[in-house]
Amino acid sequence: SIIPAEYELITTVKDQYNIARLRAEDKGLQVVFDIDPEIPSVLYGDALRCNQVVTNLLTNAVKYTETGTVTFILKKKMKLLSI
């Protein structure tokens, strides 16, 4: 079940970055993170699910990339206002 709570997104992402970087280095790959500074440091949601999504994305990216760089881009989505 989903467990909503406040969590630090950067902490979650950095932990996954370190794991992915080690796996990537074993394959001769680089891992690059591009994190939008506009993203709030604390978010409200399910930290476990967020962690799982980031883990799956990075694990698959490293697994299926043969040469070069894996780039993880995290951007703040802008809300559009309807009038």
Side-chain angles (χ1 to χ4, degrees):
S1 65
I2 295 176
I3 305 169
E6 286 188 354
Y7 67 97
E8 293 182 20
L9 179 64
I10 298 303
T11 301
T12 298
V13 170
K14 281 184 179 179
D15 290 344
Q16 296 311 313
Y17 167 80
N18 289 324
I19 293 168
R21 184 180 50 81
L22 293 173
R23 290 180 181 158
E25 285 176 356
D26 288 344
K27 290 182 67 177
L29 303 172
Q30 284 188 306
V31 177
V32 175
F33 271 44
D34 180 5
I35 301 174
D36 187 344
E38 293 292 317
I39 295 175
S41 60
V42 176
L43 298 177
Y44 185 79
D46 192 328
L48 178 62
R49 299 294 180 259
C50 179
N51 190 34
Q52 287 175 333
V53 168
V54 173
T55 299
N56 289 343
L57 287 170
L58 291 172
T59 300
N60 285 336
V62 170
K63 181 178 180 180
Y64 294 109
T65 301
E66 293 182 19
T67 61
T69 304
V70 170
T71 304
F72 183 82
I73 301 171
L74 190 59
K75 297 274 185 196
K76 181 178 178 183
K77 182 177 178 181
M78 296 185 58
K79 288 187 177 182
L80 299 176
L81 299 176
S82 301
I83 297 179

